Every structure is written in C-alpha cells, then in structure tokens.
Amino acid sequence: MAAALAARSCLELSAAGRAPPRPPQELLFVPPGIAPLPAGRYSDSAGGFCYQESAQLGAATRNRWVRWSTSGDTVELVEESLDVNLLNNAVRLRIQGCPFLPGGIHLCEVQSHLVVLLLTAQTVHRLLLPHPARLYRSELITESQVQSVFTDISKIHIRDPSNYYVIPSVPGLAPNSVASAAWLSSEGEALFALPSASGGIFVLKLPPPDAPGSVSVVELKQSSVVQRFLTGWMPTAIRGDGGPSDVPVSLSVHCLDHDAFLFALCQDHKLRMWSYKDQMCLMVADLLEFMPVSRDLRLAAGTGHRLRLAFSQSLGLYLGVYMHAPKRGQFCVFQLVSTESNRYSLDHISSLFSSQETLVDFALTSAEIWALWHNEENQTVVKYINFEQNVAGQWNQVFVQPLPEEEVTVRQDQDPRETYLEYLFMPGRFTNAAIQKALQIFSQGTERHMDLTWDELRKEVTLAVENEFQGSVTEYECSPEEFWQLQVEFWSKFYACCLQYQEALSRPLALHLNPYTSMVCLLKKGSMSFLVPCSLVDHLYLLSNEHLLTEDDAAIFEDLEMSRDVVCLVQCLRLIGESISMEMAFIMEMACSRLQPPEKAAEQILEDLIASDTENVMEDIHSKLQEIRNPIHAIGLLIREMDYETDADMERAPHLALRMSLSQLFGSGTAAHVVCGGVAKICTVRFLLCRDLLILQQLLLRLGDPMVLGGGQLFQSQQDLLHRTSPLLLSYFLIRWASQCLASDVPVDTLESNLQHLSVLELADTTALTPHRLVSGPQTIVELFFQEVARKHIISRLFLQPNTSLAETSLNWPHLITSIVADFLPLLWPSNPGFLFPECLMGSCQYTQLQEYIRLLQPWCHVNMGSCCFMMGRCYLVMGEGHKALDCFCQAASEVGREEFLDRLIQPEEGEVVSTPRLQYYNKVLRLLEMLGLPELVIELATLAIMESADDWRSQATLRTCIFKHHLDLGHNSEAYVALTQNPDPGRQLDCLRQLVVVLCERSQLQDLVEFPYVNLHNEVVGIIESHARAVDLMTHNYYELLYAFHVYRHNYRKAGTVMFEYGMRLGREVRTLRGLQKQGNCFLAAINCLRLIRPEYAWIVQPASGAVYERPGASPKRSHDGECMAVPTTRQVEILELEDLERECLLARIRLTLVEHDVSAAAVAGNSTPEETVSLLVRAGLFDSAITLCQTFKLPLTPIFEGLTFKCIKLQLGGEAAQAKAWDWLAANQLSALVTTKESRQGEELLARVPWGIVYSQCHR
C-alpha cells in the first residue's frame, strides 16, 4: 500500500437495525399541585452520556453509553453497547404536564450508582440506578447478552419527595431561555442550575438521597462591586437599559473536588464564570472582542449562542463558543488560565468561521470541533476541524447517509410490486420504524401495525397496497398497460409515505462525542449513527469538486507528482461518474449479475457517453488526462490501494483463544451493523469507482494517444491494468451483494442436523460455529459471518499478535473501527486463499445464498475453484439434486492438495491409515453421502475412487466393501456379489460373504444365493451356511434346506443327502412335536432320493458323530455335574451310512409319526426314541401292525408284541363297558379288513369278543 497519510473525511454509518423497535419500559409521573404546560413548548432534543471507563479494555462499562431524546413531556433513555446485547435497555418516562428543557437530561457517575438528573419547565428530578460495574458478579462480561442499568427502573422511587422538587415561582424560571445545567457535588447532593426570571442564575440543591435534609435555592447575581453599586439588585427588566439582557442562553458546568465552576453564555454576548461554593462571579469576558461586529450585532440579543466545555488532564479546560450572527457564525476556542489570587482569564486559541447554515449542535474536544447544521435546503451537514493543526480554517467533510431516491424507476419489463418491495426492504435503506409508520398512515389507521418482524412487515405492506389497489379498480377489465400503470401509482404513493417518515426519523437532533474513545455519533429520533474515518481512495472519490481542487497534494502521497496525478485521475473519474445516466449504470449492474465481461459493458457505456455528450464532457476528460504525467502508474497505484488480496499466512492468523476481556469485544448486534455497514459503504463506493475506471481505461485505449499514455508506455501495460480492474470491480460487486443479502431463518433442528453432517467432514470446529444466538431482526450474510466467525479472527489478530499497535489497554474508536474493517475485507475478498466466508454460510445452512455467491464468483475467480465446487456440491445435496452434487464433488477432487479448505477437509483422524490426499477426500465425501442416505451416489463415487487407488489394496478393500454394502442395501444382488469377489482383502471378503448370505436369507431371495458361482469361495459359503444352520432355531430358519438346494444345484447329491440327514437327526432331537416329526420324515426321504441319484458304489454318507451339531464357534463349553469343563474327545468314530440305513431310519421316522398322530402325548418321548423304545410305545398304544413292521425291519424279537396283544385281549374280556369302548380306538389302528365284514360290524359285543383274538391269530400267521 502507498504511504498514505490519515484521510480527513468521515462516513456516516447507520446503526438502525431491521428489527421492530423494542417496546421500552413505560413510566408515568404526575407531579402534584402543578398546572400542566403545553407539550410543544420546546423543540425536541437529544444527547448522550459516556461512562468514564468506556475506553478501558477490562471495564464492565467498556464501549457502553446512554443516549436520550426528549419530546414534549416525555424522555426516552436507551443504553447502548458495542460489545453485548443489552436486555431491557430502553425506558420512556413521562412527567405529565412538564415539558423537558432542551438538553435538560444530565447523567453522572458515582461509585455505586448512575444518577440521572432531569429538568423540566416546572420540576427537577433525580433517578438513582445501579452502576454497571456493580450490576454483575464479575467485572469481566463474557455473555453475549446482559441486563441493562434500566432493567429495574420500575422499582426506582420516582415519586419519592426527596427525589424531585417543583421549581419555586420566586425567583422563577426565565421565560425565554432553555439553558440548564446539573451536576453532583462531592457530598452527593444534586444541583440544578437554571436561568432565573430576574436575570441571574439560580441553583436548586437536593440533599443526598441517603441523608435527611431540605431543598435549598441559591441565586447567583451580579458580583462586581461597581456593577452592584450602579444597578443594585435590580433585575435587568426593571433597569430598563436598551442593551441585551444578561440572561444565560447556554450553561455549562465544570466540577472540581469541592467546588463547581458554572459558565454562562449570556444574551449580552458575554461569558461569565461563577464559583458555586463562593457564590461569586470570577470572570466576565466580552466575546464580541473576538469577532468582527457591527452596532446591530452588539444591540441584538445573542439567543443563538452555544457553549461547550472539554477537559483534558494534560491540557486543562477548553471552552468552545459558537457566536451566532445573521447569515454567519463563528466558533471561538479558549483555554481557561488561572493566575495568582484566584483570578481567571481566557486564552484565545482559535477562531473558525462557518457558512450561514443553521447550527443544530456542536461538540468540542481538546483538539477538534464537530458541528451539525441544517442548510438552506434543510439537509443535514456535518463537518469537523482540527483547530490546532488546521491554520487555513478548512473544514473536513462528513459524508452523511443520503436519503433513499425520491422515485423508484420501474421498467416496463419489471413487476412494480417486486421492484418496490426489493427497493423498500433492501438492507440499509429504510428502517423498520419508518415503514411501520408509513403502513399505519397508508392503512388509514384501520389496524395497529406494531412490533412486526421484517418478513411480517413485508407481507403486511404487500397486503395493504394490494387491498388499496383492488379497492380502487372499479372496472372488471383493463389492459395490461393500464394495470401496470395503476400498480406503479399505488406503490409510488406508499413509497412516498415511507420516504417522508424516513426523512423525519433520520433527521439528526444532536452530536454525541465520547472524549475517552473519540467516538462520534449522530443522535436521531429513535436511532443513532456513527461517524467513521474514510479511507484515502473513498475520501478522494467522494469529495466535492471544490474541496478536491483545494486538496493539499502533499497530504495524499509523499511523492508530490504522484499525488497530483492521482487527484487529476480522480477528477476524470468524477466527470465520468456524473455523466452516467441510470440506464448506463444499469448496463454494468446487469453485466456483473449475468456474468458478462465488465470490459464489454464499460465499452458500451463509453459509446453511449460519447453519443449523448452534449456538454463536451469528453473534451474536459481529455484535457484533464493531458495533465497526468504518468497515467499508467497513477491507475496502477489506485488499483493497489483498492486491492485486498493477501497471502494465506497474512489472512489466517493463528486463532488464539481470546482473553476473557476480549471475548465479547464488538460482539453486539449494533457493532455488527456498523462494521458491516462500513464494508457495504466501501464496496458501493469502490464498485462505482472501478466502473468509472474501466470506462476511463477503455477511453485511453480508444484514444491511443502516445502523449496521453506517457510517451513510452506500452499498449500491453494498459491491457494488463484493464484485466486487473475487472476482477476488482467484480470483487466489490460480490461483497456489496453479500452485504445486501439477508440470511434465512433456520430452525434449530435443521441447524443441528447440518452440524452433524459437518461433523462427518470434521469441519464443525474449524469455524467455531454455534447454533444461532438471538439476533435482533434478520441479519445480512456478511453480518452473520462477522458475528459467528470473522470477529474472533479479527480481534485475535489485532490484539493478541506480537507487535500489534492495538495491544494497549485503552480503545480508540477511529483507529479500532478502521482496523477492524481493514481486516474484515480480506476475509471477504474472493481471490484470497482463505475460505472462511463460504464455510460459514455452509455451517449456518445458508445454502440458497451460498449457491448464488458461488454462481457470481465462479466464472472469473480462479482461486479456491475446487473449494467452490465442493460447496456447490453441498448446496445441490441440500436441494435434493444428488447427481449434480456428485459432479461437483468429482470436479473438486482435482484441486485436493492445492487449496487450504480442501487440505483441512482431508486431515487424517488419529490412528487412521494415511492414504493419498485424493483418496482421503473421497473417503470424506463418501461418509457425507452415507450419512445423507444416498447409496447410488456412494456407489458411483466409490467406483471412481477405485481408479485412484490402483496401488493401494487397503483402500481398494475399503471401497469394494462400501460398494458391496450399498448394492446389497439397494437389492442389487448380482452387483453386490461382483463387488464381493473383487475385494482384495480375504478377511473383508469373508465378512461380506457372511453378510450376503444372512441378508438374502432374511429377504427370502434364495434363488440368487444358490445360483451365484462362488468361484474360489465354495467352501467358505458352505461353512457360513452350515454354521448358521447349526446356530439358529430349526423351525424358524431354513438354512439346511438352503444348503440342500445349494448342493443339489451343483449336482453334489451326497452332500445334499448328508445335509438333509443331519437336518432330520436334529429335528428328532430338538423338535419333538408332530410338525417336527413330519419334517423329519421329509428330510430322510430327501436324503434317500439324493443317494438313489448316485451310482450304488457311491451311495453312502458319513453320519456326524454324536454332539457335532452342538459344537459350534462361540458355544459355551460343556460342564460336568460339579461344574468342571468336560474333556472333549480327541478322536471320533466315523460311521458310514448306506442307502439301506437311510431307508431304515426313514421307516423308523414314519412309524414314530404314526405313533404321535395316534397319541399326541407320545411326541415328547417318541421324537428321538430307539427302535426298541419305539416298539414298546407302539404296543402300549395298540399299534401292533406298525410294531411288527418295525421289529422285522430292525430284526428285533416279536415276543413283546404278542405279550402286549394277549394282555390287551384278556383285559378286554374281563373289563367292563368302559374298557370295551376304548378298545375300538386301538383296534381301528390295526388292519381289520380281513377279520371284519360290513354286516358283522353292527353286531357289537359278539364282534368285540372275537376280533382281538383274531388279531392274535393273524399276527401269529405273519
């Protein structure tokens, strides 16, 4: 940056938020026994009070102050802070029938209290509030919101007679004077000084609040013995002399340890100084001696004079006097000088003249005067001057906030409603209060529109204007042109209403100057604005022509010639800027918005300028260019002054933990409004400057004059400058757009969900994002970024870095605000390597805004291209456009390892195996996609990532596993199988195989499972299915049947038979029910079928040894009766089963089933019984046919059968009717067809006696 000296102008930045005005606490007091006066007796006034320690870094009152405004008999007090959001910080006090004197509010600090002294036309009041330093548990304030001193004001005893007093009728208040002063004595008494009706000053004293006492009144009159001798004690009015009276028009007080000096500037143009303790006048000075006077002025009463004091520990007491004269005014600055024997005099420091504007207020420091005027057009003018250094008497300009345009231009292709709404609700243009008041009037008072949020207000405005419009349209049909015209009429009517209230509310009432921090504010009705130093470039561009011509060139740059060149260059730019019409300006706006090259737009504007040049502006520019010795160098210097490009180290200062005392510095919503308003103002001005510079450069190219280009300058240099100016213009356009773009309201659950997604990327902590704190009204995205992220970085950089200039203990507002804005712009600058701003938008769920930001940025900014692609991908994910998101993520991959944001994204976790940067990037994105539940995108990205991991088998294994898992989840079984077979890690391959088996079984997709080829995985699949078959419940899972199908599909019939045989055996042991026995029979039949399909010599299976089915991995060891683990036999006997063995087992199973079908209660015993046991059970049940078949098959003796049968016959013959009734059940289960014919079946008893013996006979023959 060039060695620029301190710029001399200032900018006004509004602190009025977009929130509805907070309703203040209301207090009403009706003093007893007074006659009410009209409320409009005095004009509205305002003022401010700053705490003594407001500049101390470690104080509770740091960056805090109180402002007040009066209107009639009402005063509104508001406590403000730049560091914390104060709760209950506003109070509106009405003292009914007692209008407040202008400037009649005085605040004083004592050790434990803040004392408010109020003066009305009829009363004086004292309010005691707790001091902020005593209000909180600790002096350091670390919360973002704290209670104000006004929080408990409703508990204050305002009606306590000891805290108010009615002004006595004798001596009475001077009728034509509004001067007043108030202070606290060292003993705690409240003193009020007022001009008395008799021409002097009377001082009313309230005793200390905690001490008994009565109110006393002292009148200060003429003290000179000669004067007293001549006039006695007669008031001026009685004396009847023709000159102006000595009634004070302005009073100020300077407190000493045990005295107070009271300064009175009187109508007779004299300044009198009184000692309150001695009650005598110590000095009288005729101020007309210090200004050119006429007889008329000497005889006229000086009612417009003003007096201000400024005290400095090192320099003493300064007095600033404004002497008002018709059509002119003069400021005089004096220093109070004391001589021996308590004599005082004034040392004249400076006299400064002002134009004829109406002075509203002025403020004094020991070096400067700040003044506020209204000019002849009733516009606000603010200027300041350093009276010590400025010998020429040149006032410095303050560029006040202009009012919005008087008319809004609506083109035919625009919708009037949208155009007006956009203009009305553009941040920084209209306040919430102005729009609400306009809405109230426009709606004709039908509804009360109070405390509406920004969005609600927008809806109400739309509704009100549309209702008014609909109500006035009487015809059913009108042409689109007429409809459009009517809309414009109604919207312009509402807009004019808003403009009227905006003008009224933005009219400054007073200046507030903080002597401790050098902060200067403009106080308005219901709001305030701040005056901040203007940077050199903006100072030159905004300065009016007459001021620019008188600009001291040496004060711009050290190189005098370069200074002159820059001033001439800026004059050329100003000529261009003033010639550009609204339509021309719109061309550049549209070019930037539609991503068209600004150079082309500048060329078109230049052509339009040349075509419409009726005032020979081009000639003026050409002649001015001739004065520039080196235009290329001057343009380059201007570009360097405006460029905020930094290196990465410069921008990303180490993010140190802020000290407790700094944790909330500039943390309030007010501070955010001011800082971001400063950024918006700079960007707005510099966008116009860059636009004009581009047009000028196009003109230089068109002229191509070697005289203009400086002789040996190359055309190439001019082209280079053109291509440097264009990104500069686009950068300012982008930041200006962000400063006007409102952040969306995000529900807390959405924010928390978003933070979870960021935690996958491990970005949640990098920008220290927190769910939204409470904010007053909608923020712009730049304000959001400042409060959430940038502020801590800036404060850390300014205060905690070694060798910083701000590391001292006291704060200086001009230096601090300039440094903060200067450090904030590089964090927003698009071509800087840091990426905090888009990252903050992502963390705060501002995805629509982030998408537009990247759209405006991508075509021309070649820094952080990969990071922008990643962010755009994240936006597309939120919008539900997954495939677009994937494209963006893939584009971003090429920049991994080159950009700071992407490098932070791929930092490996602790213990994580480090792979290539690109693979780490893919892993992070895959995790994000998995968390969002987008399996198709995961598969697609993982497939791409595999190409990157050709040499890294571990990463390949991870990615193949990922692909397998998501294919399986999606039901893509074949693709899942392919991914499984390609996995290079055997362990992971086996895990995937196990998962495939389980999932397909659960889904009953068994055909896929059986038909996969399982190359080199056959045994593993069999092992997995076997282990599952042996580990789960036999009746709810069909793993044995699956394994059977698996082997049959591969024509491995012996294994299929083995599986079914094992299944049958287990069913017999474990499922002793009718259904279990039915299944067992089917299993044995299936096993027999399998063996019959094999050649006879191979038709055998190995029977699993007893217990094998239970010994599976993870099973608990078998223990003996005393708890000891039983030894597992090391060798087992292998038993070969052939087809005949299986057929025997099948027969046994069928007979068991017959038994259980006959007697269900036998199921528990019969399920796993041996052939011998089964025979006994059959005999007991009377199933003799089945018993004989079983004995013959297993070659068992028949004796038990005949014994049992004979026993049943004898029992039947000897038994009664009950035994005979039961006999038919078991008889029916045997083959009776040979013994019983149909005819015989009805002959009951005879038949029943003969049949059992017939069975015995029949069985013997068998």
Side-chain angles (χ1 to χ4, degrees):
M1 297 287 277
L5 300 177
R8 290 185 301 278
S9 57
C10 284
L11 285 169
E12 181 196 358
L13 299 177
S14 173
R18 290 167 287 279
R22 281 179 289 185
Q25 302 174 74
E26 302 275 356
L27 288 178
L28 173 66
F29 177 45
V30 185
I34 61 162
L37 293 174
R41 184 183 178 111
Y42 303 117
S43 60
D44 293 353
S45 68
F49 161 80
C50 41
Y51 296 97
Q52 288 173 4
E53 292 188 341
S54 57
Q56 301 304 307
L57 267 179
T61 53
R62 181 189 68 200
N63 279 333
R64 276 172 80 162
W65 68 99
V66 177
R67 62 178 173 87
W68 52 265
S69 61
T70 65
S71 180
D73 59 2
T74 302
V75 61
E76 188 165 333
L77 296 129
V78 182
E79 189 181 17
E80 301 277 8
S81 171
L82 290 172
D83 294 349
V84 288
N85 294 317
L86 297 170
L87 305 173
N88 305 304
N89 66 324
V91 61
R92 186 181 290 134
L93 169 63
R94 185 180 175 211
I95 299 176
Q96 193 168 311
C98 300
F100 282 92
L101 294 175
I105 316 297
H106 304 269
L107 289 92
C108 311
E109 275 180 281
V110 290
Q111 194 170 9
S112 57
H113 288 97
L114 178 66
V115 184
V116 185
L117 304 176
L118 309 171
L119 295 102
T120 74
Q122 302 191 77
T123 53
V124 296
H125 300 262
R126 170 175 58 197
L127 305 178
L128 259 71
L129 303 169
H131 193 278
R134 300 285 174 271
L135 204 56
Y136 313 111
R137 280 175 287 188
S138 71
E139 280 211 359
L140 290 177
I141 296 173
T142 54
E143 296 88 5
S144 62
Q145 305 184 102
V146 297
Q147 295 293 343
S148 161
V149 291
F150 296 126
T151 296
D152 295 325
I153 196 162
S154 56
K155 299 175 184 174
I156 302 296
H157 301 298
I158 190 170
R159 295 171 182 79
D160 187 340
S162 65
N163 283 327
Y164 79 92
Y165 193 73
V166 177
I167 295 171
S169 54
V170 178
L173 188 65
N176 299 320
S177 178
V178 294
S180 68
W183 70 98
L184 289 179
S185 71
S186 54
E187 288 77 31
E189 301 152 331
L191 297 124
F192 303 86
L194 294 155
S196 70
S198 59
I201 303 168
F202 73 90
V203 181
L204 198 149
K205 181 173 74 176
L206 295 182
D210 51 356
S214 58
V215 177
S216 63
V217 179
V218 173
E219 188 171 9
L220 306 177
K221 295 188 179 180
Q222 310 287 353
S223 60
S224 155
V225 175
V226 178
Q227 188 80 359
R228 188 181 304 167
F229 176 73
L230 291 173
T231 61
W233 295 104
M234 286 191 300
T236 310
I238 300 173
R239 289 203 309 270
D241 51 9
S245 72
D246 52 2
V247 172
V249 291
S250 189
L251 286 171
S252 288
V253 67
H254 175 61
C255 295
L256 304 172
D257 286 342
H258 297 289
D259 195 3
F261 287 162
L262 200 57
F263 295 89
L265 182 57
C266 304
Q267 288 183 12
D268 59 2
H269 318 293
K270 289 181 180 162
L271 178 68
R272 294 176 171 83
M273 173 179 152
W274 300 78
S275 164
Y276 171 69
K277 186 178 74 171
D278 299 333
Q279 297 184 18
M280 65 181 290
C281 183
L282 302 178
M283 181 190 74
V284 179
D286 187 355
L287 299 179
L288 293 180
E289 293 174 9
F290 301 99
M291 62 184 294
V293 293
S294 61
R295 176 176 168 78
D296 294 342
L297 178 62
R298 189 173 293 279
L299 293 174
T303 52
H305 299 338
R306 303 287 176 92
L307 171 66
R308 298 286 182 269
L309 305 181
F311 179 72
S312 160
Q313 292 287 353
S314 54
L315 301 171
L317 185 65
Y318 279 76
L319 289 85
V321 176
Y322 175 72
M323 299 296 290
H324 175 72
K327 297 193 176 180
R328 70 176 191 273
Q330 179 183 334
F331 291 94
C332 295
V333 182
F334 304 97
Q335 191 171 12
L336 185 68
V337 181
S338 63
T339 57
E340 294 174 9
S341 66
N342 219 15
R343 291 181 180 276
Y344 292 88
S345 65
L346 294 179
D347 183 8
H348 180 248
I349 303 293
S350 178
S351 281
L352 304 159
F353 296 92
S354 70
S355 53
Q356 69 275 18
E357 292 113 337
T358 308
L359 183 77
V360 178
D361 191 20
F362 83 98
L364 176 75
T365 72
S366 55
E368 293 173 337
I369 289 177
W370 292 76
L372 166 65
W373 290 275
H374 286 153
N375 64 11
E376 291 170 348
E377 286 82 37
N378 214 16
Q379 293 172 330
T380 299
V381 177
V382 183
K383 293 181 182 178
Y384 77 99
I385 191 166
N386 186 310
F387 53 77
E388 288 192 327
Q389 295 173 359
N390 196 327
V391 183
Q394 182 72 43
W395 287 80
N396 300 308
Q397 280 194 303
V398 174
F399 304 113
V400 294
Q401 190 100 0
L403 283 170
E405 298 289 335
E406 287 193 11
E407 289 181 2
V408 177
T409 306
V410 187
R411 300 194 315 277
Q412 285 290 340
D413 60 334
Q414 289 179 309
D415 176 21
R417 179 174 66 184
E418 289 305 315
T419 307
Y420 272 97
L421 283 173
E422 185 183 345
Y423 199 85
L424 281 166
F425 290 90
M426 178 74 73
R429 197 164 274 161
F430 286 90
T431 61
N432 188 302
I435 299 175
Q436 285 204 25
K437 284 182 178 292
L439 181 61
Q440 193 67 41
I441 295 299
F442 194 79
S443 305
Q444 297 169 351
T446 50
E447 295 175 38
R448 292 283 292 164
H449 299 285
M450 296 299 288
D451 304 334
L452 296 175
T453 66
W454 202 240
D455 287 336
E456 289 168 348
L457 192 57
R458 189 183 177 111
K459 288 173 188 167
E460 287 293 334
V461 165
T462 309
L463 204 62
V465 178
E466 291 296 314
N467 286 346
E468 196 81 12
F469 171 65
Q470 298 292 345
S472 67
V473 177
T474 52
E475 296 178 14
Y476 288 104
E477 291 183 12
C478 63
S479 68
E481 291 77 16
E482 290 171 334
F483 185 81
W484 183 89
Q485 192 59 48
L486 280 168
Q487 273 192 307
V488 170
E489 281 176 26
F490 278 92
W491 277 103
S492 61
K493 181 182 168 187
F494 178 76
Y495 180 80
C497 212
C498 290
L499 199 61
Q500 188 180 343
Y501 278 104
Q502 182 69 20
E503 188 174 357
L505 290 173
S506 60
R507 177 176 295 279
L509 297 173
L511 278 163
H512 168 57
L513 191 149
N514 184 329
Y516 310 108
T517 63
S518 304
M519 179 180 76
V520 185
C521 300
L522 286 180
L523 303 177
K524 306 176 181 183
K525 198 173 177 68
S527 71
M528 64 185 301
S529 58
F530 296 79
L531 306 185
V532 301
C534 192
S535 69
L536 177 70
V537 175
D538 306 338
H539 165 75
L540 290 174
Y541 186 71
L542 292 171
L543 216 54
S544 59
N545 280 330
E546 61 270 19
H547 284 86
L548 192 59
L549 291 168
T550 58
E551 187 69 25
D552 180 7
D553 297 330
I556 301 173
F557 298 107
E558 289 168 0
D559 182 346
L560 194 60
E561 282 197 2
M562 181 49 60
S563 294
R564 286 177 186 151
D565 279 2
V566 169
V567 169
C568 286
L569 179 65
V570 170
Q571 284 176 320
C572 293
L573 297 178
R574 288 287 300 273
L575 285 169
I576 291 171
E578 287 164 4
S579 307
I580 289 176
S581 66
M582 199 171 286
E583 290 77 15
M584 294 177 195
F586 187 70
I587 292 170
M588 186 60 83
E589 294 278 347
M590 283 296 100
C592 295
S593 179
R594 292 172 180 170
L595 314 178
Q596 295 159 354
E599 299 94 328
K600 297 284 184 193
E603 203 173 342
Q604 188 185 338
I605 293 171
L606 178 62
E607 287 172 3
D608 293 351
L609 278 174
I610 293 168
S612 62
D613 183 16
T614 54
E615 297 176 4
N616 297 326
V617 175
M618 288 299 144
E619 280 184 28
D620 296 344
I621 294 169
H622 193 271
S623 61
K624 189 60 73 177
L625 283 171
Q626 301 285 353
E627 297 175 27
I628 303 176
R629 292 166 184 77
N630 193 336
I632 301 293
H633 195 183
I635 292 170
L637 189 63
L638 208 56
I639 289 171
R640 281 200 302 279
E641 285 282 350
M642 293 191 289
D643 197 348
Y644 283 90
E645 196 166 313
T646 61
D647 57 8
D649 297 335
M650 177 88 173
E651 185 186 350
R652 185 173 275 279
H655 190 65
L656 305 171
L658 290 177
R659 289 204 306 266
M660 291 287 277
S661 60
L662 295 172
S663 63
Q664 293 300 332
L665 185 64
F666 272 64
S668 73
T670 304
H673 279 308
V674 176
V675 172
C676 300
V679 167
K681 185 74 176 175
I682 287 171
C683 293
T684 303
V685 170
R686 293 192 184 175
F687 172 75
L688 299 176
L689 198 156
C690 290
R691 178 199 68 189
D692 299 345
L693 191 58
L694 265 181
I695 296 166
L696 184 69
Q697 286 171 297
Q698 291 287 8
L699 178 63
L700 283 171
L701 282 175
R702 179 175 287 227
L703 291 170
D705 187 346
M707 290 299 291
V708 173
L709 289 172
Q713 290 295 338
L714 296 172
F715 177 78
Q716 187 59 42
S717 302
Q718 181 60 24
Q719 285 283 7
D720 291 344
L721 284 176
L722 196 67
H723 296 312
R724 281 175 62 195
T725 310
S726 182
L728 207 60
L729 173 121
L730 290 166
S731 296
Y732 282 119
F733 176 81
L734 184 63
I735 302 173
R736 189 193 71 176
W737 167 83
S739 301
Q740 295 169 344
C741 177
L742 290 176
S744 309
D745 253 350
V746 184
V748 174
D749 55 345
T750 309
L751 267 176
E752 287 172 354
S753 155
N754 188 54
L755 283 173
Q756 282 178 356
H757 299 161
L758 294 186
S759 68
V760 172
L761 300 174
E762 286 149 21
L763 284 171
D765 299 330
T766 55
T767 51
L769 290 168
T770 52
H772 279 0
R773 66 177 90 185
L774 290 169
V775 291
S776 56
Q779 297 173 294
T780 64
I781 54 176
V782 172
E783 288 167 356
L784 176 74
F785 174 54
F786 178 76
Q787 289 196 295
E788 295 288 344
V789 179
R791 183 184 68 85
K792 289 178 184 172
H793 280 267
I794 295 165
I795 299 300
S796 163
R797 183 173 158 70
L798 291 179
F799 286 90
L800 304 182
Q801 301 303 306
N803 307 319
T804 50
S805 57
L806 289 170
E808 61 267 4
T809 54
S810 62
L811 300 172
N812 178 272
W813 163 260
H815 190 184
L816 187 57
I817 188 70
T818 306
S819 302
I820 288 175
V821 171
D823 269 27
F824 189 25
L825 271 165
L827 293 176
L828 291 165
W829 201 249
S831 56
N832 278 340
F835 205 59
L836 288 175
F837 182 45
E839 199 179 327
C840 171
L841 295 183
M842 178 175 75
S844 306
C845 290
Q846 304 299 318
Y847 287 107
T848 310
Q849 294 84 339
L850 179 56
Q851 207 168 352
E852 178 63 9
Y853 176 84
I854 294 169
R855 184 191 76 81
L856 292 171
L857 179 71
Q858 268 184 328
W860 58 271
C861 182
H862 305 300
V863 181
N864 290 318
M865 291 172 71
S867 304
C868 283
C869 283
F870 180 86
M871 289 291 180
M872 194 56 106
R874 185 78 185 92
C875 293
Y876 281 135
L877 280 183
V878 173
M879 309 296 175
E881 298 185 81
H883 288 285
K884 285 185 182 178
L886 192 62
D887 290 343
C888 291
F889 290 140
C890 295
Q891 286 173 37
S894 61
E895 299 299 320
V896 170
R898 298 180 198 167
E899 295 180 8
E900 188 255 1
F901 169 75
L902 294 176
D903 286 350
R904 279 189 294 121
L905 193 68
I906 62 171
Q907 284 174 352
E909 293 177 29
E910 197 174 329
E912 187 182 344
V913 180
V914 179
S915 54
T916 64
R918 203 174 285 195
L919 277 175
Q920 285 173 274
Y921 167 77
Y922 282 133
N923 281 336
K924 283 285 176 74
V925 178
L926 285 168
R927 276 190 229 167
L928 177 65
L929 296 174
E930 281 180 337
M931 174 169 263
L932 291 167
L934 299 167
E936 296 99 335
L937 301 184
V938 172
I939 293 164
E940 208 171 321
L941 186 62
T943 309
L944 277 172
I946 285 171
M947 298 175 193
E948 295 281 336
S949 61
D951 305 326
D952 186 349
W953 69 270
R954 284 192 181 85
S955 297
Q956 283 242 353
T958 305
L959 292 166
R960 298 275 181 202
T961 305
C962 179
I963 292 172
F964 162 80
K965 174 185 176 296
H966 290 287
H967 270 314
L968 191 59
D969 289 346
L970 290 168
H972 304 162
N973 300 340
S974 302
E975 291 86 347
Y977 170 75
V978 171
L980 175 155
T981 57
Q982 292 172 342
N983 200 317
D985 183 349
R988 289 194 180 216
Q989 194 176 46
L990 200 57
D991 291 341
C992 293
L993 191 58
R994 197 171 288 116
Q995 194 177 353
L996 181 75
V997 170
V998 172
V999 170
L1000 292 189
C1001 284
E1002 284 173 354
R1003 292 182 190 158
S1004 302
Q1005 294 174 331
L1006 303 179
Q1007 186 169 353
D1008 285 354
L1009 190 56
V1010 167
E1011 291 178 358
F1012 288 140
Y1014 301 111
V1015 179
N1016 299 326
L1017 292 170
H1018 185 275
N1019 293 339
E1020 285 81 355
V1021 176
V1022 171
I1024 289 166
I1025 301 176
E1026 276 183 355
S1027 66
H1028 276 85
R1030 292 169 181 169
V1032 299
D1033 181 29
L1034 290 171
M1035 297 306 284
T1036 54
H1037 295 85
N1038 55 0
Y1039 284 106
Y1040 277 109
E1041 292 170 13
L1042 169 65
L1043 200 52
Y1044 168 73
F1046 183 87
H1047 288 311
V1048 168
Y1049 184 76
R1050 285 159 181 74
H1051 308 296
N1052 195 338
Y1053 298 116
R1054 184 193 289 166
K1055 282 199 175 179
T1058 306
V1059 166
M1060 293 314 281
F1061 183 72
E1062 182 182 319
Y1063 188 20
M1065 297 290 283
R1066 279 193 63 196
L1067 283 166
R1069 290 192 197 98
E1070 298 172 28
V1071 189
R1072 298 180 180 181
T1073 62
L1074 177 62
R1075 187 158 170 258
L1077 288 169
Q1078 287 169 342
K1079 265 185 164 303
Q1080 186 185 42
N1082 293 337
C1083 289
F1084 287 153
L1085 283 171
I1088 290 167
N1089 283 344
C1090 286
L1091 290 190
R1092 282 182 178 154
L1093 292 170
I1094 307 172
R1095 284 189 296 177
E1097 61 266 30
Y1098 298 112
W1100 52 268
I1101 61 171
V1102 177
Q1103 180 178 16
S1106 178
V1109 290
Y1110 298 103
E1111 289 166 18
R1112 56 186 182 273
S1116 60
K1118 300 295 172 279
R1119 300 177 186 275
S1120 61
H1121 63 278
D1122 57 356
E1124 293 299 317
C1125 288
M1126 294 168 65
V1128 180
T1130 53
T1131 58
R1132 293 199 179 112
Q1133 188 177 359
V1134 176
E1135 189 176 344
I1136 302 296
L1137 297 177
E1138 295 182 342
L1139 189 57
E1140 293 78 11
D1141 300 324
L1142 262 66
E1143 286 171 342
R1144 280 201 298 272
E1145 285 293 332
C1146 185
L1147 177 72
L1148 178 59
R1150 199 165 60 246
I1151 288 172
R1152 283 179 190 148
L1153 180 61
T1154 306
L1155 172 64
V1156 172
E1157 284 173 343
H1158 181 76
D1159 180 10
V1160 178
S1161 64
V1165 182
N1168 196 30
S1169 57
T1170 61
E1172 292 83 355
E1173 290 167 349
T1174 308
V1175 168
S1176 300
L1177 291 168
L1178 289 166
V1179 168
R1180 188 188 306 164
L1183 302 174
F1184 298 107
D1185 284 352
S1186 300
I1188 288 173
T1189 306
L1190 190 61
C1191 287
Q1192 287 172 345
T1193 305
F1194 283 91
K1195 297 183 174 54
L1196 298 176
L1198 298 171
T1199 311
I1201 300 170
F1202 287 102
E1203 286 176 354
L1205 183 55
T1206 307
F1207 174 73
K1208 278 192 176 286
C1209 291
I1210 295 166
K1211 190 177 177 183
L1212 185 61
Q1213 280 189 330
L1214 299 175
E1217 287 182 11
Q1220 287 178 1
K1222 281 182 181 178
W1224 283 112
D1225 292 337
W1226 64 267
L1227 284 172
N1230 292 283
Q1231 294 179 4
L1232 300 179
S1233 57
L1235 305 169
V1236 182
T1237 63
T1238 309
K1239 289 180 182 178
E1240 292 172 331
S1241 63
R1242 303 199 190 327
Q1243 299 170 5
E1245 285 185 23
E1246 181 192 343
L1247 180 65
L1248 195 59
R1250 197 174 73 240
V1251 168
W1253 291 109
I1255 291 172
V1256 174
Y1257 174 76
S1258 167
Q1259 297 296 354
C1260 288
H1261 275 277
R1262 283 180 64 188

